[in-house]
Amino acid sequence: MTIKKLAQGFLLLLLPIVAMADMSGTEKLNHFVKQVNTFQAHFEQTVLDPDGNLVEQAQGQFQLARPGKFRWDYNDPYPQHIVADGMNVWFYDVDLEQVTVKAQNEALEDTPATLLSGQALPEDSYNVRNLTSSDGLTWVELTPKQSGSNFQSVMLAFNKDELQQMIMRDSFDQRTRLMFSQIKINPTFKKDTFKFSAPEGIDIVGEPQQ
């Protein structure tokens, strides 16, 4: 699974922190999706193949502003930036010195990122069920209702008042885990946080929507 696909799939994690110790995983998820405005966190990402072997490790910063604006800044092991401005999604690979731009509605089609619209609850597009747990966290699983999706399931884990991690299983049975820390709910961002400008001399592949 590429970093681009991971970033698209992980957008459903944009959830605010509230005191919800007695809620089920489904209730917490619905509450989060309804309430989020802005979100910021440090993330650590690992990808495992179907046999459980480590494929990829990465970390960086994530920022969101509803509706539909976000950025993933990968710092390690190599820098990449993925920025959605509400109309286009920009993928900037620093080492390759290349930017790819796609219309946002096309780039995020058939991904959990559609939850960013704020117009639907998870149950509208996913089968949602609470999971039993032995780690002290509250887990919930989402599986897409539509056949042919590019992922099989997403599991979210909460402690009593915030999102802790997510595990996504794609159509190739690879598993990607995101662990969040340094979480900030409803921070104020600078006006240009979700505006992407390609560095001078960098090739741009694709035509941005105006």
Side-chain angles (χ1 to χ4, degrees):
M1 179 183 291
T2 66
I3 284 179
K4 295 178 183 179
K5 289 182 179 178
L6 294 176
Q8 294 167 4
F10 297 155
L11 298 180
L12 78 164
L13 300 176
L14 314 176
L15 313 171
I17 301 175
V18 291
M20 300 177 298
D22 296 329
M23 289 185 181
S24 68
T26 299
E27 290 171 328
K28 290 181 179 181
L29 175 60
N30 285 336
H31 187 87
F32 285 166
V33 172
K34 290 176 182 178
Q35 295 297 319
V36 67
N37 293 307
T38 59
F39 180 93
Q40 177 175 303
H42 175 81
F43 67 88
E44 295 184 6
Q45 174 184 302
T46 57
V47 181
L48 303 178
D49 69 15
D51 296 322
N53 300 310
L54 181 64
V55 175
E56 181 182 87
Q57 287 182 302
Q59 62 177 313
Q61 291 292 128
F62 174 71
Q63 295 172 300
L64 163 81
R66 290 173 67 95
K69 295 181 180 181
F70 64 88
R71 65 180 299 143
W72 294 81
D73 294 303
Y74 284 82
N75 304 321
D76 184 63
Y78 48 87
Q80 286 193 332
H81 305 282
I82 303 171
V83 182
D85 60 18
M87 186 172 292
N88 300 290
V89 182
W90 305 81
F91 304 93
Y92 175 30
D93 190 308
V94 176
D95 290 342
L96 292 180
E97 298 185 342
Q98 179 175 291
V99 173
T100 301
V101 59
K102 295 182 179 180
Q104 190 161 324
N105 60 345
E106 296 178 4
L108 303 184
E109 185 179 5
D110 189 32
T111 73
T114 54
L115 291 173
L116 282 174
S117 66
Q119 298 176 349
L121 291 175
E123 288 90 341
D124 293 339
S125 300
Y126 306 95
N127 298 307
V128 184
R129 70 185 183 99
N130 298 315
L131 302 177
T132 57
S133 172
S134 59
D135 59 7
L137 299 177
T138 303
W139 286 86
V140 61
E141 181 184 54
L142 292 82
T143 55
K145 292 181 178 180
Q146 188 173 15
S147 60
S149 176
N150 57 20
F151 70 99
Q152 297 185 52
S153 67
V154 175
M155 296 190 299
L156 307 178
F158 306 89
N159 65 9
K160 64 180 181 180
D161 62 1
E162 65 181 33
L163 177 69
Q164 292 291 294
Q165 57 182 291
M166 170 192 152
I167 300 174
M168 178 177 174
R169 186 158 60 100
D170 69 14
S171 57
F172 299 100
D173 209 29
Q174 285 195 137
R175 285 158 291 164
T176 301
R177 181 188 297 266
L178 282 178
M179 301 187 70
F180 291 92
S181 62
Q182 304 173 30
I183 296 170
K184 295 182 180 179
I185 299 301
N186 294 327
T188 299
F189 296 129
K190 295 180 180 179
K191 291 184 178 180
D192 61 352
T193 296
F194 305 99
K195 180 180 180 181
F196 181 82
S197 297
E200 186 175 351
I202 297 297
D203 294 332
I204 299 179
V205 178
E207 292 292 331
Q209 300 292 307
Q210 302 296 328

